[in-house]
Amino acid sequence: MRNSDGLRTAEVARRTGYSVQQLRNLERDGALPAAPRTAAGYRVYGEAHVWSARAYRALTAGADPGSAKTILRAVHRRDLRNMFALLDTAHARLDRERRDLDAARTAARAIADEPVAGIHPADAMNVSELARALGVRPSTLRHWDAAGVVVPHRTGPREARVYTPDDVRAARLVHQLRLAGYGIESLRQLVPELRGWRRWDDLAAALTARDARLDSRANALLDAAAALSALLGLSREG
C-alpha cells in the first residue's frame, strides 16, 4: 500500500534485503523509527526507514545486534552524544580484538618455535602450578579439560591432573588464542590438529582468517557510518 508521501513495506524490504516481517520486528524493537499509519491502518515508510535498516545490517555485522539496536534507538531520539559514544565503543572493541590477535600471533609464533629438546617429563605441572603460570583460575583449566581443548594426563580416573610439557605448551597457546577471541568450539577443532605445534602454517592460516574477519567487521562499521550519516541528514532536513 502506498500513499503519496511514503513507501510500501514490500518496497522497503526489496531495497534493504529484509523480509516484511523482519522490518516489522525491527520497528517493534526500535531499530526503525515508528511508522505512521494511514486511515486504513497501513504503515507508511520513508527513506529514514530504508537507511535505518541498512545501518542496522551494517552495525550488526560490525558489532552485534544488541549494539545495533541501541545505537539506532539513540539516533531516533536524536541523542547524538550517546550515539557517538556507542560507536566509539564498537570501534574500541574491534581495535582491542585486533591488538589481542597481534599479541596472540607473536606469542604463538614464539611458543611454536620453542625447542622441545631438553624438556623432560619431570617438568610436568599440576593444575595449581599451571594456573599460576598462566594467570588463570584452576577452574579455567578444568573447563578446558572438560571441553576437550587441553586434556591433561591422569594415571587413573580419580587421580589428579598432570600437565606434561607438551600439555603446558598447548595450554599456553590456548590461553593466548582465548585472549584473541577464539571460542571454545573453534579451539576444540584446532588444538588437536596442532598438538606439538609442528604445523605452524596451519595455525598461521587460522590467525590470518580471523584477521580477515576483523577487517570485514571494520568495513561494516564504515558502511554503518555512511548509512547513519545519510539518516542524520534526513533528520536535519525534517
Side-chain angles (χ1 to χ4, degrees):
M1 182 81 179
R2 178 199 292 273
N3 71 7
S4 59
D5 299 319
L7 301 172
R8 291 192 298 264
T9 308
E11 185 172 349
V12 177
R14 179 185 61 77
R15 291 175 59 181
T16 61
Y18 285 110
S19 70
V20 169
Q21 186 58 52
Q22 285 174 322
L23 290 173
R24 291 170 179 168
N25 292 343
L26 289 176
E27 182 187 350
R28 177 201 64 201
D29 295 340
L32 270 61
R37 303 260 187 162
T38 66
Y42 292 103
R43 288 176 173 83
V44 180
Y45 285 129
E47 291 298 322
H49 297 91
V50 173
W51 285 111
S52 293
R54 290 174 176 170
Y56 177 78
R57 183 182 296 281
L59 287 167
T60 297
D64 58 81
S67 297
K69 290 175 184 176
T70 303
I71 290 170
L72 282 163
R73 289 183 193 124
V75 173
H76 299 325
R77 63 175 181 267
R78 302 196 179 189
D79 184 359
L80 299 190
R81 186 177 186 279
N82 191 36
M83 181 205 74
F84 289 131
L86 291 166
L87 284 173
D88 288 345
T89 298
H91 282 285
R93 184 170 66 184
L94 195 59
D95 176 65
R96 184 175 62 252
E97 290 182 36
R98 196 181 297 280
R99 286 185 283 109
D100 285 344
L101 180 61
D102 288 341
R105 180 180 286 106
T106 300
R109 175 83 256 188
I111 294 168
D113 284 344
E114 286 178 351
V116 295
I119 299 177
H120 306 287
D123 296 324
M125 296 183 178
N126 61 32
V127 171
S128 298
E129 290 170 337
L130 183 54
R132 283 195 300 271
L134 294 177
V136 301
R137 296 178 179 179
S139 59
T140 298
L141 294 176
R142 296 188 185 100
H143 175 58
W144 293 352
D145 182 3
V149 175
V150 181
V151 181
H153 292 69
R154 295 178 189 241
T155 56
R158 294 183 178 274
E159 297 299 322
R161 296 170 175 86
V162 177
Y163 290 86
T164 67
D166 192 45
D167 296 330
V168 171
R169 295 175 80 216
R172 290 174 61 194
L173 185 53
V174 166
H175 181 50
Q176 292 298 325
L177 293 176
R178 287 289 287 156
L179 290 176
Y182 277 80
I184 290 296
E185 184 57 38
S186 296
L187 289 171
R188 184 186 291 118
Q189 298 173 18
L190 178 66
V191 172
E193 298 178 3
L194 301 174
R195 263 296 190 181
W197 318 123
R198 293 178 178 85
R199 294 174 59 190
W200 164 252
D201 289 345
D202 288 348
L203 179 57
L207 293 170
T208 299
R210 182 161 183 80
D211 228 346
R213 290 194 293 272
L214 292 178
D215 288 346
S216 178
R217 286 169 54 193
N219 190 70
L221 288 179
L222 189 64
D223 290 341
L228 289 171
S229 180
L231 184 59
L232 291 174
L234 290 173
S235 177
R236 286 191 290 270
E237 291 173 6

